[in-house]
Amino acid sequence: MKKIVSLMALCAVLLGAVMMVTGCGAKPEKGTVWKVVEITAAGKSVEIQYPTYYCFHSDGNAYSATKMGEKLSAINGGTYTIEAKKVTIDGISFDYTMNGNTMTLTGTLDKVSGSMKLQKSSDYTEKQIKDAVVAVPKPSK
């Protein structure tokens, strides 16, 4: 179970980091939305059960969103920075490469290496992604 949770966490972080690139050799831009098209973790392909999107919002936060049925639900993954070929979200850094409107993010989380391929998307706007954020209750003590 712990490996599954770690794998899911890696996928979430990888997906979130990849959303901002706009073209070959370009630096990712704020406000772009990316759809996850392929995930690999520990050398194995990971099934994408529901359409998943990432957005580097102009408010400085990276959001990930999943569409289940007709409902889009998102989470705020934390603040992000984009440097030369590196994206850092909430303190975790990943390398990225661009090829046209496709970005690939690679990195390691909890000793599991992986990659995620994203395609620039116009399915949703950055506002729609942010508006879909669901409140996560904090555990009581």
Side-chain angles (χ1 to χ4, degrees):
M1 182 68 169
K2 186 175 180 180
K3 285 185 179 183
I4 292 172
V5 171
S6 294
L7 181 59
M8 291 172 62
L10 172 66
C11 292
V13 171
L14 287 174
L15 290 174
V18 186
M19 303 176 287
M20 292 208 42
V21 179
T22 60
C24 186
K27 190 172 182 179
E29 294 179 7
K30 290 183 177 185
T32 54
V33 176
W34 297 81
K35 183 175 184 178
V36 177
V37 295
E38 183 179 298
I39 301 171
T40 303
K44 296 181 181 180
S45 180
V46 177
E47 179 183 1
I48 303 167
Q49 294 182 340
Y50 300 98
T52 302
Y53 301 86
Y54 287 87
C55 173
F56 285 94
H57 202 282
S58 57
D59 71 1
N61 290 297
Y63 295 87
S64 62
T66 302
K67 184 177 181 189
M68 298 174 92
E70 295 301 312
K71 183 167 177 60
L72 182 70
S73 299
I75 60 169
N76 181 340
T79 59
Y80 69 89
T81 60
I82 300 172
E83 299 170 358
K85 301 300 178 188
K86 263 202 194 310
V87 174
T88 302
I89 298 175
D90 201 27
I92 301 171
S93 296
F94 296 93
D95 296 325
Y96 73 84
T97 58
M98 294 291 298
N99 185 6
N101 286 330
T102 302
M103 180 168 57
T104 302
L105 185 68
T106 58
T108 301
L109 183 65
D110 292 336
K111 298 181 183 178
V112 177
S113 61
S115 68
M116 184 177 303
K117 185 187 289 186
L118 296 105
Q119 181 74 40
K120 191 172 178 185
S121 175
S122 60
D123 293 349
Y124 296 100
T125 65
E126 68 173 327
K127 180 181 181 333
Q128 288 172 308
I129 298 286
K130 185 174 181 178
D131 288 348
V133 170
V134 291
V136 177
K138 293 183 180 185
S140 59
K141 292 185 178 184

